[in-house]
Amino acid sequence: MSDLLDGRTAVVTGAAQGIGLAIATVLADHGARVTIADLDGDKAAAAAAGIGENARGVACDVTDEASVAALVRDAVDAYGGLDVLVNNAGITRDASLKKMTLENFQAVITVHLQGTWLGIRAASEVMREARRGSIINISSMSGKVGNPGQTNYSAAKAGIVGMTKAAAKELAHHGVRVNAIQPGLIRTPMTEAMSAEAYAATEATIPMRRAGEPDEIANVVAFLASDLSSYMTGAVLEVSGGRGM
Ligand code: NAP
């Protein structure tokens, strides 16, 4: 599609489906070589095969320190470096405060916050050495406005914003940029699990009057991954059709 990311290498977590798969596809379309990481290694490999020769799929659990370290090491070995990390893997365990268990709370906090932190820490080691790199963290509008039934997820996604800014300040003088995206309602397996009423009610609050498509997040990731955004770090971009502005 373009040579915007020619010669660049990227790792995208949680990329066997949904927004992550769209990100991996768009980065590869712009010339990057992409490692797709997901819990299910076979699903990641199948997703990579769908993209073609510029993609590979591996198993990784972002909550596991050794697994994330192996992911980064393996990506560097395969492609000779790491220019872009997209911390995209995510889960929801929605419930009201009355019904949410501590386990539901901890699972969501661990995947989003610990997972993103482990990714930033491992990738920045490589990027600092190379004196270049772009890390993109997928937050959510839930982290800005808070959603009922998502005390766990909203806290985790707001935490990703603070983590992004702190890491951006630590890494800026090493040539490594760290930015975040806050998607609004995007049509993926995650949101297909919502009830039709909840989905329609959310869609009705969007000024653009429609849910977004995964590609509409992926295109913003490509911008942040590339030199087009060379003077941006610590930024949080809302990609929500105007919802929550
Ligand atoms: P999705 O379709 O559920 O895809 C998420 C992927 O992450 C799945 O393949 C999932 O695997 C994987 N994953 C879960 N836990 C993991 C772990 N510990 N290690 C590695 N991979 C793991 O979700 P999505 O809608 O594409 O969401 C992608 C990101 O965007 C998430 O961070 C989400 O919070 C964020 N987001 C989504 C929306 C939206 O409207 N869809 C809005 C705002 C933000 P399994 O299927 O095996 O669990």
Side-chain angles (χ1 to χ4, degrees):
M1 189 200 277
S2 90
D3 58 4
L4 184 66
L5 297 171
D6 245 9
R8 305 288 167 97
T9 65
V11 166
V12 187
T13 67
Q17 64 178 39
I19 293 172
L21 178 55
I23 292 169
T25 305
V26 167
L27 294 182
D29 282 349
H30 287 295
R33 285 170 298 158
V34 183
T35 298
I36 289 179
D38 212 301
L39 280 177
D40 181 339
D42 290 340
K43 206 169 155 192
I51 292 176
E53 60 178 14
N54 274 347
R56 51 196 289 279
V58 298
C60 173
D61 178 351
V62 298
T63 67
D64 184 273
E65 186 175 20
S67 184
V68 174
L71 167 68
V72 168
R73 207 168 41 238
D74 190 58
V76 170
D77 284 350
Y79 288 144
L82 180 61
D83 301 299
V84 178
L85 168 70
V86 187
N87 286 307
N88 167 81
I91 61 168
T92 50
R93 295 286 184 273
D94 295 357
S96 65
L97 277 168
K98 264 186 174 171
K99 293 188 180 148
M100 189 178 290
T101 62
L102 180 60
E103 198 182 21
N104 292 155
F105 178 78
Q106 286 174 334
V108 168
I109 294 292
T110 305
V111 171
H112 292 277
L113 281 185
Q114 185 169 310
T116 300
W117 183 80
L118 285 171
I120 292 173
R121 192 183 59 166
S124 63
E125 222 170 280
V126 176
M127 292 173 174
R128 206 192 269 120
E129 282 278 300
R131 298 208 60 78
R132 72 169 196 183
S134 173
I135 298 173
I136 298 134
N137 299 323
I138 306 299
S139 171
S140 168
M141 288 304 292
S142 295
K144 180 187 177 191
V145 302
N147 280 338
Q150 292 195 319
T151 49
N152 50 1
Y153 185 80
S154 300
K157 290 305 201 184
I160 286 176
V161 170
M163 192 185 298
T164 298
K165 294 181 180 185
K169 285 181 179 170
E170 277 195 34
L171 296 169
H173 64 286
H174 294 291
V176 181
R177 300 184 295 110
V178 189
N179 294 289
I181 294 175
Q182 293 188 313
L185 181 69
I186 309 297
R187 197 183 307 277
T188 70
M190 182 182 274
T191 49
E192 276 157 17
M194 289 166 74
S195 72
E197 301 78 57
Y199 195 91
T202 307
E203 219 171 14
T205 65
I206 302 170
M208 286 177 73
R209 289 285 183 269
R210 65 171 178 86
E213 297 299 327
D215 273 4
E216 294 179 295
I217 303 301
N219 290 334
V220 181
V221 171
F223 164 70
L224 289 175
S226 79
D227 293 340
L228 289 177
S229 59
S230 54
Y231 200 50
M232 288 177 73
T233 198
V236 182
L237 303 187
E238 296 178 15
V239 187
S240 67
R243 179 161 166 257
M245 71 174 89

